Amino acid sequence: INLQNAFGDASRIREVLYSRICAEYVPTMRTAFARVTINGRYWGLYGMAQQFNTDFLRDAFGSRKGVRWKVLRNSGGVGALRYLGAEPGKYGSYIAKCPAKDEPDARRRLIELCRVLDTTPAGDLATSSLPKLLDIDGALWFLALENVFLDTDGYVRQGYDYRLVEDRHGRF
């Protein structure tokens, strides 16, 4: 369980509300409220969120198999699925959560997704390899939800501090 600090949210309900609405459209970590009491003293109501682990993969995708990517805070939006070249070292903001032996191949697939997104003319994306690499409907829902809720960081505003999943079929 992760207790949310509700930074910048005096209501302390934003994260749980956001997650519950997003869950109607895209795979989302489960959330709930917790009454926190420490040594008999009530500290308040906190949001709590499911861990971004293989239990999440099972709940959201029906299998524990897949690669979870955490995109770290960075400068210049380098985690915004931009193609930075074929060198894996340029993608250090993407942290893969998978067996270590699988990580080089997982990173290669991430780089290929970035390459297709960044170098294919917009008019050709639908007929390119993109539909095999990316759940386009899911990605559009994700972008719409980020815009509606005006997340202060995340993919749209900063190009970081979001999660990405490659499912067991190799689709992001």
Side-chain angles (χ1 to χ4, degrees):
I1 296 173
N2 282 339
L3 292 178
Q4 306 296 306
N5 68 3
F7 180 77
D9 177 18
S11 72
R12 295 186 149 193
I13 65 170
R14 183 185 185 284
E15 289 297 322
V16 173
L17 181 62
Y18 173 78
S19 294
R20 298 248 176 113
I21 292 170
C22 289
E24 295 293 319
Y25 305 96
V26 295
T28 305
M29 291 175 282
R30 293 181 297 167
T31 59
F33 291 107
R35 291 177 45 98
V36 176
T37 303
I38 300 174
N39 295 329
R41 182 172 173 236
Y42 177 65
W43 283 69
L45 191 65
Y46 284 78
M48 60 182 183
Q50 179 180 27
Q51 296 285 325
F52 186 58
N53 59 19
T54 57
D55 291 337
F56 165 74
L57 289 178
R58 180 201 60 220
D59 295 346
F61 298 96
S63 171
R64 290 181 184 267
K65 296 186 187 290
V67 181
R68 294 164 287 124
W69 293 92
K70 181 176 181 181
V71 184
L72 301 176
R73 182 173 292 273
N74 61 77
S75 60
V78 296
L81 297 177
R82 291 180 19 219
Y83 182 61
L84 306 171
E87 175 57 42
K90 293 182 179 181
Y91 297 84
S93 292
Y94 299 89
I95 304 301
K97 303 290 185 180
C98 62
K101 65 181 177 47
D102 297 335
E103 198 274 337
D105 287 336
R107 189 161 301 275
R108 180 189 49 75
R109 292 188 305 271
L110 173 73
I111 293 169
E112 177 61 9
L113 172 66
C114 293
R115 187 194 67 74
V116 169
L117 282 169
D118 212 32
T119 63
T120 305
D124 296 339
L125 282 171
T127 58
S128 72
S129 59
L130 185 62
K132 292 178 183 172
L133 296 171
L134 179 69
D135 173 4
I136 295 171
D137 287 343
L140 291 174
W141 274 113
F142 168 73
L143 294 171
L145 290 161
E146 279 229 334
N147 276 294
V148 166
F149 284 96
L150 301 172
D151 198 2
T152 56
D153 52 12
Y155 184 85
V156 171
R157 295 246 346 234
Q158 301 291 337
Y160 62 72
D161 198 21
Y162 68 96
R163 308 292 185 266
L164 182 65
V165 171
E166 179 189 14
D167 68 20
R168 67 181 184 244
H169 306 294
R171 199 162 179 227
F172 290 84

